[in-house]
């Protein structure tokens, strides 16, 4: 916590579900009271968040979990594949393609302005390492492989700030 961006839109993970619930692809929800073992296999960690896969050897769509939130509860979503993307990768792809709209882009621009002092559409610059300590992106794919439907989440300072679904 501390120094968090405040956004006008409500976070996408405000709904809480019971352990064992299954979510449709493209949604994220809070789930509390799960043991580390119940989360599955830790498969990646970035910016204070850890991704857990409930069936790490599968290529089917399944429940996946994220930890690292201020409230101590995990976030769950459904995907066949989920990958972290760091701030530098996001800036290279978004700004290179001129992508500065949508819920993820708007939320990122606000966080970047507060931490980096950078103008909209401009890279973070010298403060990139500081921004990357508590900010990351997670892309969840509906099917194994990087084509088709995917959902992107902006993770910052122990929260899911924004989510967008494409395809």
């Amino acid at each position: 916590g501390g120094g968090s961006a405040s956004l006008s839109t409500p976070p996408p993970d405000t709904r809480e579900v019971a352990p064992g619930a299954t979510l449709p692809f493209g949604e994220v929800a809070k789930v509390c009271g799960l043991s580390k073992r119940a989360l599955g296999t830790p498969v990646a960690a970035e910016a204070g968040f850890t991704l857990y896969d409930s069936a790490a050897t599968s290529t089917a769509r399944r429940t996946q979990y994220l930890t690292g939130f201020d409230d101590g509860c995990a976030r769950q979503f459904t995907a066949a594949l989920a990958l972290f993307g760091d701030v530098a990768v996001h800036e290279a792809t978004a700004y290179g393609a001129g992508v500065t709209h949508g819920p993820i882009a708007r939320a990122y621009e606000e966080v970047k302005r507060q931490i980096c002092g950078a103008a909209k559409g401009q890279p973070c610059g010298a403060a990139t390492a500081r921004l990357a300590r508590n900010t990351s992106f997670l892309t969840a794919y509906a099917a194994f492989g990087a084509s088709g439907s995917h959902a992107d989440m902006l993770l910052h300072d122990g929260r899911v700030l924004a989510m967008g679904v494409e395809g």
Side-chain angles (χ1 to χ4, degrees):
S4 296
S6 58
L7 301 172
S8 56
T9 55
D13 61 344
T14 52
R15 183 168 63 118
E16 186 172 335
V17 296
T22 301
L23 295 174
F25 176 78
E27 292 184 17
V28 61
K30 181 188 316 187
V31 59
C32 300
L34 289 177
S35 67
K36 290 266 193 239
R37 187 169 175 206
L39 297 174
T41 306
V43 292
E46 176 127 1
F49 299 94
T50 303
L51 174 64
Y52 289 82
D53 194 325
S54 64
T57 59
S58 175
T59 57
R61 206 179 288 190
R62 61 204 176 273
T63 298
Q64 308 217 16
Y65 299 97
L66 271 173
T67 61
F69 297 94
D70 290 347
D71 61 13
C73 296
R75 299 304 185 269
Q76 83 171 53
F77 59 94
T78 300
L81 174 68
L83 302 169
F84 280 114
D86 67 18
V87 168
V89 169
H90 171 77
E91 288 189 354
T93 57
Y95 298 150
V99 178
T100 56
H101 60 279
I104 299 273
R106 284 191 299 273
Y108 179 72
E109 290 297 332
E110 179 62 23
V111 168
K112 187 188 61 158
R113 183 186 63 74
Q114 290 182 14
I115 293 176
C116 311
K120 182 176 180 178
Q122 297 302 308
C124 182
T128 298
R130 187 161 64 97
L131 178 63
R133 276 199 296 271
N134 69 355
T135 306
S136 186
F137 297 85
L138 185 83
T139 301
Y141 295 94
F144 198 75
S147 61
S149 295
H150 65 276
D152 294 305
M153 287 179 248
L154 172 58
L155 308 171
H156 170 71
D157 200 30
R159 296 177 296 148
V160 178
L161 284 191
M163 184 169 186
V165 181
E166 294 181 25

